[in-house]
Short mmCIF file of all heavy atoms in Angstrom, two decimals:
data_model
loop_
_atom_site.label_atom_id
_atom_site.label_comp_id
_atom_site.label_asym_id
_atom_site.label_seq_id
_atom_site.Cartn_x
_atom_site.Cartn_y
_atom_site.Cartn_z
N GLU A 1 65.24 132.42 95.66
CA GLU A 1 65.48 132.55 97.02
C GLU A 1 65.39 131.27 97.85
O GLU A 1 66.27 130.97 98.70
CB GLU A 1 64.61 133.61 97.79
CG GLU A 1 64.75 135.05 97.25
CD GLU A 1 64.26 135.32 95.97
OE1 GLU A 1 63.44 134.53 95.36
OE2 GLU A 1 64.66 136.37 95.29
N GLU A 2 64.43 130.43 97.45
CA GLU A 2 64.27 129.13 98.18
C GLU A 2 65.43 128.24 97.72
O GLU A 2 65.97 127.52 98.60
CB GLU A 2 62.91 128.56 97.66
CG GLU A 2 61.70 129.11 98.41
CD GLU A 2 60.39 128.60 97.89
OE1 GLU A 2 60.36 128.38 96.66
OE2 GLU A 2 59.53 128.34 98.67
N ILE A 3 65.82 128.16 96.51
CA ILE A 3 66.99 127.44 95.96
C ILE A 3 68.31 127.77 96.78
O ILE A 3 69.02 126.87 97.26
CB ILE A 3 67.16 127.53 94.52
CG1 ILE A 3 66.00 126.84 93.75
CG2 ILE A 3 68.52 126.87 94.06
CD1 ILE A 3 65.96 127.07 92.31
N VAL A 4 68.48 129.13 96.91
CA VAL A 4 69.61 129.59 97.69
C VAL A 4 69.66 129.09 99.06
O VAL A 4 70.66 128.75 99.58
CB VAL A 4 69.80 131.17 97.54
CG1 VAL A 4 70.84 131.67 98.48
CG2 VAL A 4 70.11 131.59 96.11
N LYS A 5 68.48 129.17 99.68
CA LYS A 5 68.30 128.75 101.05
C LYS A 5 68.60 127.24 101.19
O LYS A 5 69.31 126.73 102.14
CB LYS A 5 66.81 128.99 101.61
CG LYS A 5 66.62 128.51 102.95
CD LYS A 5 65.18 128.83 103.29
CE LYS A 5 64.75 128.18 104.74
NZ LYS A 5 63.36 128.37 105.07
N PHE A 6 68.17 126.43 100.24
CA PHE A 6 68.38 124.90 100.27
C PHE A 6 70.00 124.71 100.08
O PHE A 6 70.52 123.80 100.78
CB PHE A 6 67.62 124.19 99.16
CG PHE A 6 66.07 124.13 99.39
CD1 PHE A 6 65.26 124.34 98.37
CD2 PHE A 6 65.65 123.99 100.71
CE1 PHE A 6 63.85 124.34 98.62
CE2 PHE A 6 64.29 123.90 100.89
CZ PHE A 6 63.31 124.07 99.91
N LEU A 7 70.50 125.36 99.12
CA LEU A 7 72.00 125.23 98.83
C LEU A 7 72.73 125.62 100.05
O LEU A 7 73.79 124.93 100.46
CB LEU A 7 72.39 126.05 97.77
CG LEU A 7 71.87 125.59 96.35
CD1 LEU A 7 72.25 126.53 95.16
CD2 LEU A 7 72.49 124.20 95.99
N LYS A 8 72.31 126.72 100.86
CA LYS A 8 73.09 127.07 102.03
C LYS A 8 72.96 125.97 103.10
O LYS A 8 73.98 125.69 103.83
CB LYS A 8 72.51 128.43 102.62
CG LYS A 8 73.08 129.65 101.87
CD LYS A 8 72.50 130.86 102.59
CE LYS A 8 73.09 132.19 101.95
NZ LYS A 8 72.59 133.38 102.60
N GLY A 9 71.71 125.33 103.18
CA GLY A 9 71.54 124.25 104.11
C GLY A 9 72.48 123.12 103.83
O GLY A 9 73.05 122.48 104.66
N ILE A 10 72.55 122.79 102.50
CA ILE A 10 73.42 121.75 102.04
C ILE A 10 74.84 121.94 102.27
O ILE A 10 75.56 121.17 102.78
CB ILE A 10 73.17 121.37 100.54
CG1 ILE A 10 71.75 120.70 100.21
CG2 ILE A 10 74.27 120.43 100.05
CD1 ILE A 10 71.42 120.79 98.80
N ASN A 11 75.22 123.15 101.99
CA ASN A 11 76.68 123.63 102.22
C ASN A 11 76.95 123.52 103.72
O ASN A 11 78.04 123.00 104.09
CB ASN A 11 76.88 125.08 101.72
CG ASN A 11 78.29 125.46 101.87
OD1 ASN A 11 78.50 126.23 102.77
ND2 ASN A 11 79.21 125.04 101.11
N ASN A 12 76.12 124.08 104.64
CA ASN A 12 76.38 123.95 105.98
C ASN A 12 76.47 122.54 106.55
O ASN A 12 77.36 122.21 107.28
CB ASN A 12 75.24 124.73 106.72
CG ASN A 12 75.38 124.91 108.21
OD1 ASN A 12 76.56 125.22 108.54
ND2 ASN A 12 74.41 124.73 108.95
N THR A 13 75.51 121.65 106.08
CA THR A 13 75.62 120.27 106.53
C THR A 13 76.85 119.59 106.06
O THR A 13 77.46 118.76 106.82
CB THR A 13 74.28 119.50 105.96
OG1 THR A 13 73.19 120.08 106.44
CG2 THR A 13 74.36 118.07 106.36
N SER A 14 77.29 119.78 104.70
CA SER A 14 78.37 119.15 104.25
C SER A 14 79.66 119.62 104.93
O SER A 14 80.68 118.96 105.10
CB SER A 14 78.51 119.35 102.72
OG SER A 14 78.65 120.72 102.33
N THR A 15 79.75 120.92 105.27
CA THR A 15 80.89 121.46 106.02
C THR A 15 81.03 120.83 107.36
O THR A 15 82.10 120.37 107.76
CB THR A 15 80.70 123.08 106.18
OG1 THR A 15 80.67 123.63 104.97
CG2 THR A 15 81.99 123.70 106.95
N LYS A 16 79.95 120.66 108.00
CA LYS A 16 79.93 120.05 109.33
C LYS A 16 80.33 118.62 109.34
O LYS A 16 81.07 118.05 109.97
CB LYS A 16 78.56 120.21 110.02
CG LYS A 16 78.17 121.53 110.59
CD LYS A 16 76.77 121.58 111.11
CE LYS A 16 76.45 123.01 111.51
NZ LYS A 16 75.08 123.18 111.97
N THR A 17 79.78 117.91 108.26
CA THR A 17 80.17 116.49 108.02
C THR A 17 81.65 116.38 107.65
O THR A 17 82.28 115.36 108.11
CB THR A 17 79.39 115.92 106.74
OG1 THR A 17 77.97 116.18 106.95
CG2 THR A 17 79.62 114.41 106.64
N TYR A 18 82.16 117.32 106.87
CA TYR A 18 83.62 117.30 106.50
C TYR A 18 84.45 117.47 107.78
O TYR A 18 85.53 116.69 108.10
CB TYR A 18 84.04 118.42 105.59
CG TYR A 18 85.55 118.47 105.29
CD1 TYR A 18 86.15 117.48 104.56
CD2 TYR A 18 86.14 119.58 105.70
CE1 TYR A 18 87.48 117.74 104.34
CE2 TYR A 18 87.51 119.77 105.57
CZ TYR A 18 88.16 118.82 104.85
OH TYR A 18 89.42 118.92 104.61
N MET A 19 84.01 118.37 108.66
CA MET A 19 84.69 118.58 109.96
C MET A 19 84.69 117.38 110.88
O MET A 19 85.62 116.99 111.56
CB MET A 19 84.15 119.83 110.72
CG MET A 19 84.64 121.09 109.87
SD MET A 19 83.78 122.53 110.69
CE MET A 19 84.60 122.63 112.27
N LEU A 20 83.54 116.69 110.82
CA LEU A 20 83.38 115.36 111.59
C LEU A 20 84.21 114.35 111.00
O LEU A 20 84.96 113.70 111.78
CB LEU A 20 81.85 115.00 111.60
CG LEU A 20 81.71 113.59 112.25
CD1 LEU A 20 81.98 113.69 113.65
CD2 LEU A 20 80.14 113.36 112.15
N PHE A 21 84.39 114.21 109.71
CA PHE A 21 85.29 113.27 109.10
C PHE A 21 86.77 113.58 109.57
O PHE A 21 87.49 112.69 109.82
CB PHE A 21 85.22 113.42 107.54
CG PHE A 21 84.37 112.38 106.92
CD1 PHE A 21 83.24 112.70 106.22
CD2 PHE A 21 84.57 110.97 107.10
CE1 PHE A 21 82.31 111.68 105.59
CE2 PHE A 21 83.82 110.07 106.62
CZ PHE A 21 82.74 110.37 105.82
N GLN A 22 87.15 114.94 109.45
CA GLN A 22 88.35 115.22 109.92
C GLN A 22 88.77 114.76 111.36
O GLN A 22 89.73 114.20 111.60
CB GLN A 22 88.48 116.80 109.83
CG GLN A 22 88.98 117.25 108.42
CD GLN A 22 89.44 118.81 108.61
OE1 GLN A 22 88.71 119.64 109.20
NE2 GLN A 22 90.42 119.12 107.91
N ASN A 23 87.86 115.08 112.28
CA ASN A 23 87.97 114.67 113.62
C ASN A 23 88.06 113.12 113.71
O ASN A 23 88.83 112.55 114.57
CB ASN A 23 86.75 115.12 114.47
CG ASN A 23 87.01 116.62 114.91
OD1 ASN A 23 88.06 117.11 114.78
ND2 ASN A 23 85.83 117.17 115.29
N LEU A 24 87.22 112.42 113.04
CA LEU A 24 87.22 110.90 113.05
C LEU A 24 88.61 110.40 112.56
O LEU A 24 89.10 109.50 113.14
CB LEU A 24 86.15 110.33 112.16
CG LEU A 24 84.72 110.38 112.75
CD1 LEU A 24 83.67 109.98 111.62
CD2 LEU A 24 84.64 109.25 113.88
N LEU A 25 89.05 110.94 111.52
CA LEU A 25 90.28 110.47 110.93
C LEU A 25 91.47 110.77 112.02
O LEU A 25 92.33 109.88 112.27
CB LEU A 25 90.71 111.25 109.51
CG LEU A 25 89.79 110.80 108.50
CD1 LEU A 25 90.00 111.59 107.20
CD2 LEU A 25 90.04 109.22 108.12
N ILE A 26 91.58 112.03 112.47
CA ILE A 26 92.59 112.37 113.50
C ILE A 26 92.55 111.49 114.74
O ILE A 26 93.40 111.00 115.24
CB ILE A 26 92.48 113.84 113.82
CG1 ILE A 26 92.76 114.78 112.77
CG2 ILE A 26 93.37 114.21 115.04
CD1 ILE A 26 92.36 116.20 112.89
N TRP A 27 91.22 111.29 115.19
CA TRP A 27 91.01 110.50 116.32
C TRP A 27 91.45 109.13 116.14
O TRP A 27 92.14 108.39 117.01
CB TRP A 27 89.52 110.65 116.74
CG TRP A 27 89.13 109.87 117.97
CD1 TRP A 27 89.73 110.01 119.17
CD2 TRP A 27 88.03 108.89 118.21
NE1 TRP A 27 89.14 109.25 120.22
CE2 TRP A 27 88.07 108.62 119.53
CE3 TRP A 27 87.15 108.27 117.31
CZ2 TRP A 27 87.21 107.55 120.05
CZ3 TRP A 27 86.29 107.42 117.81
CH2 TRP A 27 86.30 107.06 119.16
N ALA A 28 91.12 108.45 114.96
CA ALA A 28 91.57 107.10 114.64
C ALA A 28 92.94 106.98 114.60
O ALA A 28 93.60 106.04 115.04
CB ALA A 28 90.90 106.68 113.24
N ARG A 29 93.67 107.92 114.04
CA ARG A 29 95.12 107.87 114.03
C ARG A 29 95.73 108.00 115.49
O ARG A 29 96.75 107.35 115.65
CB ARG A 29 95.72 109.04 113.17
CG ARG A 29 95.49 108.77 111.59
CD ARG A 29 95.88 110.01 110.80
NE ARG A 29 97.34 110.27 111.01
CZ ARG A 29 97.94 111.35 110.68
NH1 ARG A 29 97.26 112.38 110.24
NH2 ARG A 29 99.26 111.60 110.81
N ALA A 30 95.02 108.86 116.30
CA ALA A 30 95.52 109.02 117.60
C ALA A 30 95.47 107.77 118.44
O ALA A 30 96.38 107.42 119.20
CB ALA A 30 94.82 110.19 118.43
N GLN A 31 94.32 107.01 118.28
CA GLN A 31 94.10 105.90 118.98
C GLN A 31 94.95 104.78 118.58
O GLN A 31 95.48 103.83 119.36
CB GLN A 31 92.62 105.37 118.67
CG GLN A 31 91.53 106.25 119.20
CD GLN A 31 91.79 106.60 120.69
OE1 GLN A 31 91.89 105.70 121.56
NE2 GLN A 31 91.66 107.87 121.08
N SER A 32 95.41 104.73 117.22
CA SER A 32 96.31 103.58 116.79
C SER A 32 97.85 104.01 116.99
O SER A 32 98.65 103.14 116.69
CB SER A 32 96.10 103.43 115.31
OG SER A 32 96.44 104.63 114.54
N GLY A 33 98.08 105.17 117.52
CA GLY A 33 99.44 105.64 117.82
C GLY A 33 100.20 106.15 116.60
O GLY A 33 101.43 106.13 116.70
N ASN A 34 99.54 106.40 115.59
CA ASN A 34 100.16 106.75 114.24
C ASN A 34 100.08 108.28 114.03
O ASN A 34 100.37 108.75 112.97
CB ASN A 34 99.51 106.10 113.18
CG ASN A 34 99.73 104.60 113.07
OD1 ASN A 34 100.81 104.15 113.52
ND2 ASN A 34 98.76 103.83 112.71
N LEU A 35 99.74 109.02 115.13
CA LEU A 35 99.68 110.63 114.90
C LEU A 35 101.01 111.11 115.43
O LEU A 35 101.30 111.01 116.71
CB LEU A 35 98.49 110.99 115.69
CG LEU A 35 98.16 112.56 115.52
CD1 LEU A 35 97.53 112.72 113.98
CD2 LEU A 35 96.93 113.00 116.40
N ASP A 36 101.75 111.65 114.60
CA ASP A 36 103.01 112.31 115.03
C ASP A 36 102.85 113.56 115.81
O ASP A 36 101.90 114.43 115.56
CB ASP A 36 103.89 112.70 113.86
CG ASP A 36 104.27 111.46 112.98
OD1 ASP A 36 104.58 110.43 113.67
OD2 ASP A 36 104.43 111.46 111.80
N PHE A 37 103.64 113.73 116.82
CA PHE A 37 103.68 114.95 117.64
C PHE A 37 104.88 115.72 117.38
O PHE A 37 106.01 115.40 117.80
CB PHE A 37 103.61 114.61 119.14
CG PHE A 37 103.60 115.82 120.05
CD1 PHE A 37 102.54 116.68 120.00
CD2 PHE A 37 104.67 115.91 121.03
CE1 PHE A 37 102.70 117.87 120.91
CE2 PHE A 37 104.73 116.96 121.85
CZ PHE A 37 103.66 118.06 121.77
#
């Protein structure tokens, strides 16, 4: 049960980090004018 709890925490953190990465990449493209509309 403890291992499952730790894995859920890791999964949750990695998901949030991935979404942050997505936002950073989209934002960087938007700032450089390379984001197509």
Side-chain angles (χ1 to χ4, degrees):
E1 289 75 17
E2 288 175 320
I3 291 172
V4 170
K5 180 183 176 182
F6 290 142
L7 288 174
K8 280 185 177 181
I10 292 169
N11 179 259
N12 189 40
T13 302
S14 61
T15 300
K16 289 176 182 175
T17 306
Y18 173 70
M19 290 175 67
L20 177 57
F21 261 123
Q22 275 191 310
N23 279 343
L24 280 170
L25 291 172
I26 293 169
W27 185 51
R29 287 175 63 197
Q31 297 305 309
S32 62
N34 293 324
L35 191 64
D36 294 328
F37 176 63

